[in-house]
Amino acid sequence: MEAERYCLEKRKMEIITSNKNQKIKDLQKLNKDGGFRKKKGVFVVEGIRMFLELPVDRVKQVVLSESSWNRYRNEFVNMGFDIADENLIVVKDYIYESISQTKSPQGIMAVIGRVDYSIDDMLKSACDNPVYLVLDSIQDPGNLGTIIRSGEAAGVSGIIIGGGMSCDVYSPKVVRSTMGAIFRVPFVTSSDLLSDIGKLKEAGVSIYGAHLEGTSLFDEKLNKPVAFLIGNEGNGLSKEVSDTADCLIKIPMEGKVESLNAAISATLLAYEAYRQRN
């Protein structure tokens, strides 16, 4: 039999016991297929820390291992979830391990509705003195997730993710790396990065390109609306993107170091703007 039925909290709960169950197949595909995530308008988050950060109104489905249901049910109820909801799924522990994207599964994941911001939405919602990060073909999921997380910490107003080689912001590794910041930081996946940079300029935003040929970051006055262009991990900014910059800047470095990790660079740039404003 594909599933056993138990009575949990006065509800007949289906305990899924087979990887052939269609719900399990869909979860596996959501974890691996960016096109499927986009088509369905959802993405997957995993782990208790991410779960506690969830915007409850965007939750489409919750999946718990059988042992985690017993461990986390109080948190689940305290967050306002309805345990009678048919979108609450409990699976055998070994089934959960087969769909988990982590080395040490905590037995809890959720399917969340995507929010697709536009550049116009981002500009309208920004503060009077915004800071933006503009990413040109960031390929490493860990870098992208860290940039979103650091961006929130440094108070950026939004992040624009562009370039044909950029990784999917809703991939499991990116989402995990944000540590919940993906729910709070506005971001745009740009199909035309040059056009969107142009819109920033029209809004009075000064554009700074991170470049090895630039002047020192510390010589610039950043207490005004600014956007930092951050390039690809291996090649830096493309020429067409760097040419849009009002000014090229570099982070001063000692020793024989020639460049920094994209996530570190984005963090240092955002924090220098934060420091000058505070």
Side-chain angles (χ1 to χ4, degrees), residues 119 122-123 132-134 160 195-207 226-229:
I119 185 69
M122 185 179 291
L123 290 170
Y132 300 100
L133 299 177
V134 181
I160 301 172
S195 175
D196 286 339
I197 293 171
K199 290 184 178 181
L200 292 176
K201 287 187 172 186
E202 291 171 6
V205 178
S206 297
I207 309 297
V226 297
F228 296 112
L229 309 179

Side-chain angles (χ1 to χ4, degrees), residues 132 134-135 197 207-210 227-231 237 241-242 244-245 269:
Y132 300 100
V134 181
L135 312 181
I197 293 171
I207 309 297
Y208 289 89
F228 296 112
L229 309 179
I230 314 295
L237 288 173
V241 172
S242 66
T244 67
L269 293 169

Side-chain angles (χ1 to χ4, degrees), residues 226-256:
V226 297
F228 296 112
L229 309 179
I230 314 295
N232 172 269
E233 293 90 344
N235 302 313
L237 288 173
S238 63
K239 186 177 186 306
E240 61 181 1
V241 172
S242 66
D243 284 347
T244 67
D246 298 310
C247 178
L248 297 179
I249 55 174
K250 65 180 178 181
I251 298 167
M253 293 176 283
E254 300 291 338
K256 295 183 180 180

Side-chain angles (χ1 to χ4, degrees), residues 78-245:
N78 289 340
M79 288 181 67
F81 288 100
D82 182 359
I83 60 174
D85 194 322
E86 292 301 318
N87 288 319
L88 167 61
I89 299 170
V90 178
V91 305
K92 285 292 188 181
D93 287 12
Y94 60 85
I95 297 296
Y96 188 92
E97 290 174 4
S98 74
I99 59 175
S100 174
Q101 297 294 297
T102 63
K103 292 182 179 179
S104 301
Q106 295 179 318
I108 184 166
M109 68 174 62
V111 178
I112 310 299
R114 294 167 54 138
V115 173
D116 293 316
Y117 302 92
S118 70
I119 185 69
D120 295 325
D121 294 334
M122 185 179 291
L123 290 170
K124 289 176 183 177
S125 64
C127 63
D128 292 335
N129 197 20
V131 176
Y132 300 100
L133 299 177
V134 181
L135 312 181
D136 181 16
S137 296
I138 299 298
Q139 293 177 291
D140 183 86
N143 276 341
L144 180 54
T146 299
I147 289 170
I148 295 172
R149 183 184 181 190
S150 297
E152 180 186 25
V156 303
S157 300
I159 297 174
I160 301 172
I161 304 164
M165 296 185 293
S166 294
C167 56
D168 179 8
V169 68
Y170 288 115
S171 72
K173 188 171 182 180
V174 174
V175 173
R176 283 198 306 274
S177 298
T178 71
M179 299 297 288
I182 194 170
F183 303 131
R184 298 179 293 270
V185 178
F187 57 86
V188 172
T189 300
S190 176
S191 59
D192 189 340
L193 190 57
L194 299 182
S195 175
D196 286 339
I197 293 171
K199 290 184 178 181
L200 292 176
K201 287 187 172 186
E202 291 171 6
V205 178
S206 297
I207 309 297
Y208 289 89
H211 200 285
L212 293 177
E213 303 300 322
T215 59
S216 173
L217 166 67
F218 300 145
D219 292 337
E220 298 300 321
K221 301 296 184 184
L222 304 174
N223 53 353
K224 58 186 177 182
V226 297
F228 296 112
L229 309 179
I230 314 295
N232 172 269
E233 293 90 344
N235 302 313
L237 288 173
S238 63
K239 186 177 186 306
E240 61 181 1
V241 172
S242 66
D243 284 347
T244 67

